[in-house]
Amino acid sequence: MTAHSRNTPQFYLTAPSPCPYLKGQFERKVFTHLVGDDAAQLNDLLTHGGFRRSQTIAYRPACETCRACVSVRVRVDAFEWTKAFRRNRALNADLVGLDRDATPNSEQYSLFRAYLDSRHSDGGMADMTVLDYATMVEDSHVRTRLVEYRRRGPDTAVNGRGAGPLYAVALVDHLSDGLSLVYSFYEPEHRDRGLGTHVILDHVQRARALGLPYLYLGYWVEGSAKMDYKRRFRPQEHLGPAGWELKDG
């Protein structure tokens, strides 16, 4: 029997299941566990290779007949601030994001629940309980943070904290060369604010302030309307057979 080190990743392949993005397709994923002392370093390496993290699992598509899922990262130093993006920033200038430990609470879950019920009631996360949410947030062996967005308050200039109810939340991994948006959700009643876009734009600025060159957005899926928004954030690189390549359009 061959002995494997606890720090040597072992990779596994899931069985085929219906694709959540493209009708009529079936997805398979290759995955490994992110545990132990080398979890953060492994997460960095795998993210550069097109993997995404979910709790203590790193995964990437390994579909037999489809290659539509493409890993996307944004170059923050040359980010293109379009008129639409500048309007979004102005519209949400009354919000402030507080960076904090990845600790779940009931207020976050209430917002998470409202977001799922409004935007993804038929998705794979629709039945997540408060315990499932807590696990999603805190079950991590890598450097993970939460950013909570609230309205600016009278003491914001002093303590950096907002006031009032939550407007949005982002779960973010800190990598050696960038930030990786693991998951974000927001108040569905404020559709006019474009809060999903605001969270991404805010993290473009956060990555740049930290001296990090990239913001990782996960997968863009050609042919999937729900993933098409990622194309708007430019310049961006796509991971292909030859590595990360700058895309013009």
Side-chain angles (χ1 to χ4, degrees), residues 163-178:
L166 277 173
Y167 274 60
V169 176
L171 183 66
V172 188
D173 284 351
H174 286 239
L175 307 174
S176 62
D177 67 345

Side-chain angles (χ1 to χ4, degrees), residues 63-104:
C63 306
E64 297 175 351
T65 61
C66 180
R67 296 292 183 270
C69 292
V70 179
S71 294
V72 173
R73 67 185 185 186
V74 178
R75 288 187 176 182
V76 302
D77 59 340
F79 186 72
E80 298 174 7
W81 287 93
T82 65
K83 290 182 179 179
F85 288 158
R86 290 196 295 270
R87 285 196 298 269
N88 182 282
R89 291 295 285 172
L91 182 63
N92 292 293
D94 60 335
L95 300 183
V96 60
L98 176 66
D99 181 281
R100 50 167 292 175
D101 292 337
T103 303

Side-chain angles (χ1 to χ4, degrees), residues 28 36 145 162 172 187 204 245:
R28 299 189 78 177
R145 305 287 293 175
V172 188
E187 174 54 66
V204 165
E245 300 176 337

Side-chain angles (χ1 to χ4, degrees), residues 32-249:
T32 190
H33 296 278
L34 294 170
V35 295
D37 296 337
D38 295 332
Q41 182 179 358
L42 179 60
N43 189 43
D44 257 35
L45 179 65
L46 292 177
T47 301
H48 297 159
F51 281 70
R52 291 288 285 168
R53 184 185 70 83
S54 176
Q55 300 174 63
T56 59
I57 297 292
Y59 67 91
R60 68 168 295 172
C63 306
E64 297 175 351
T65 61
C66 180
R67 296 292 183 270
C69 292
V70 179
S71 294
V72 173
R73 67 185 185 186
V74 178
R75 288 187 176 182
V76 302
D77 59 340
F79 186 72
E80 298 174 7
W81 287 93
T82 65
K83 290 182 179 179
F85 288 158
R86 290 196 295 270
R87 285 196 298 269
N88 182 282
R89 291 295 285 172
L91 182 63
N92 292 293
D94 60 335
L95 300 183
V96 60
L98 176 66
D99 181 281
R100 50 167 292 175
D101 292 337
T103 303
N105 59 42
S106 59
E107 185 185 20
Q108 295 165 14
Y109 179 71
S110 294
L111 181 61
F112 176 71
R113 188 72 263 161
Y115 172 79
L116 289 182
D117 291 344
S118 174
R119 299 293 301 270
H120 302 287
S121 59
D122 58 347
M125 303 174 73
D127 296 329
M128 286 181 65
T129 67
V130 65
L131 293 178
D132 295 327
Y133 172 75
T135 300
M136 181 181 78
V137 171
E138 63 187 359
D139 194 6
S140 170
H141 291 256
V142 304
R143 189 187 175 201
T144 304
R145 305 287 293 175
L146 277 176
V147 179
E148 294 184 341
Y149 296 86
R150 304 177 193 270
R151 295 282 293 273
R152 293 182 181 275
D155 300 323
T156 296
V158 177
N159 58 28
R161 298 175 180 271
L166 277 173
Y167 274 60
V169 176
L171 183 66
V172 188
D173 284 351
H174 286 239
L175 307 174
S176 62
D177 67 345
L179 300 178
S180 176
L181 280 170
V182 177
Y183 196 77
S184 63
F185 52 95
Y186 48 86
E187 174 54 66
E189 293 185 0
H190 296 302
R191 286 190 177 90
D192 58 326
R193 280 182 172 266
L195 291 170
T197 297
H198 173 69
V199 168
I200 295 176
L201 296 178
D202 183 56
H203 278 82
V204 165
Q205 294 188 314
R206 287 174 182 270
R208 187 168 186 174
L210 291 168
L212 300 172
Y214 300 113
L215 175 64
Y216 289 83
L217 295 183
Y219 300 117
W220 168 65
V221 184
E222 186 174 8
S224 172
K226 67 174 67 175
M227 287 293 186
D228 201 53
Y229 73 92
K230 295 183 182 182
R231 298 174 60 187
R232 298 187 294 126
F233 301 91
R234 301 174 181 172
Q236 62 181 233
E237 297 179 0
H238 290 185
L239 182 60
W244 290 96
E245 300 176 337
L246 182 65
K247 303 301 290 187
D248 294 328

